[in-house]
Amino acid sequence: MNSTDKATVKAPTRRSRAVAAKRTAILSAALALFSQYGVHGTSLDKVAEGADVSKTNLLYYFPSKEALYIAVLKNILDVWLAPLRALREDQQPLEAIRDYIRLKLEVSRDHPQASRLFCMEMLQGAPLLKGELEGDLKRLVDDKSAVIEGWINQGKLAAVEPHHLIFMLWATTQHYADFSTQVEAVTGQTLNDDVFFNQTVENVQRMVIEGIRIRE
Amino acid sequence: MNSTDKATVKAPTRRSRAVAAKRTAILSAALALFSQYGVHGTSLDKVAEGADVSKTNLLYYFPSKEALYIAVLKNILDVWLAPLRALREDQQPLEAIRDYIRLKLEVSRDHPQASRLFCMEMLQGAPLLKGELEGDLKRLVDDKSAVIEGWINQGKLAAVEPHHLIFMLWATTQHYADFSTQVEAVTGQTLNDDVFFNQTVENVQRMVIEGIRIRE
DNA sequence: GTCTATATGCCGATAGAC
DNA sequence: GTCTATCGGCATATAGAC
């Protein structure tokens, strides 16, 4: 900590802002590289270069590569979970799910690196996130499963296992970020193309919604 | 996966069989490690140890780490694509898709490492598979899209973009292999559990099928 | 085909001046 | 906080004997 300035804690000084900016620059460069080459495939040299700082300086802000990686993961977890947090029982279920799909596809379009890094961590068994998964995430999913269960009991939704519905929502929306290379190879298009984005939103919404709608 | 080595075209001697066995042992150990730790996170030492050969010996069979990685990828591509290849227009569409989902979930259960390594490669932009993706895979997907299009034109399937339906099938089924850590953290169960496996098959089938069924 | 020994390069992290 | 210099370790790959 900076002992020369007692006001550091309250009002951010010019210096502390510069420090914060450097931290975010490093985190951003790390996310870009980790998500493409993996943690082991990325050297601190490259991260430093991407953030325009020296490697030694980087290690001043983050004491080790693992510490940096954990910081990156913590940063993106919120973005990733935000759409699910937004699900609430007082909404109309089909509208809520329609909204969720659009939101999550926006995340896939606007934060593909976060999505991919998260996926990569999961593939490896989530050694650094296992705690969060079994704690916070499980609670969140249990909570939202109860919401879905409620909708089903009110006859507003077809009887499906809530967990599997949540997995389907996750899988179908993330796919466009995580497998964007494949999507592009096959369709020749990207979510960044507005027409393709809207077509994707509508198709995913329709298939999922029709699959869980109640019919008379 | 269980394909025998074709290096010796005529009569396989005892020696050539031993050689083939070593190659597959190395490929198998490499798949297990690469899919968990990534290529960069795995040393040839560990692969050699896993295959019970010396590192120098391993490098006799595969001249470099990259050559080994490519060999592993080529091996699993077929397994991964087999279910899609099985889609044929003369089938009843809903039956065909129901079968596809079960087949692909069996792959997720029985070859999770292949699924994960494939996913990992995709996340990184598929530098070594891009050629295959834009060639063979694109042709296969175009072909199967035409099949789906045919079903739609015959009024046997709801009007959806075939590509998005294929992506949905891929995404929902692979999820249980690629994100098995998360699935297990949330549900406490695995596809290896027969009850959970069947529940998964039924739920995915129902949600997807209901989403694309034609109703009067 | 299989081994021992080793060349060679990179990378994470530390020491210490300023 | 930032720099230069460097240590120590590990990993890929090769050389050469058997």
Side-chain angles (χ1 to χ4, degrees), chain B residues 10-23:
Chain B
K10 293 197 167 175
T13 62
R14 211 168 305 134
R15 168 157 297 191
S16 73
R17 266 198 305 274
V19 164
K22 235 176 197 184
R23 278 186 64 95

Side-chain angles (χ1 to χ4, degrees), chain A residues 69 115-127 129 133 178-179, chain B residues 32-38 112-124 174-182:
Chain A
Y69 179 50
S115 185
R116 284 181 211 130
L117 187 63
F118 191 72
C119 182
M120 226 178 238
E121 170 70 9
M122 210 63 79
L123 285 175
Q124 308 186 19
L129 277 182
L133 291 189
D178 301 343
F179 284 68
Chain B
L33 289 161
F34 287 170
S35 68
Q36 179 165 10
Y37 303 107
Q113 297 174 332
S115 184
R116 284 182 212 130
L117 188 63
F118 191 73
C119 181
M120 228 178 237
E121 170 70 7
M122 210 62 80
L123 285 175
Q124 308 186 19
Q174 276 204 227
H175 186 83
Y176 291 88
D178 301 343
F179 284 69
S180 65
T181 302
Q182 188 173 253

Side-chain angles (χ1 to χ4, degrees), chain B residues 43-44 55-56 65:
Chain B
S43 69
L44 289 181
K55 183 171 57 167
T56 345
K65 194 187 197 184

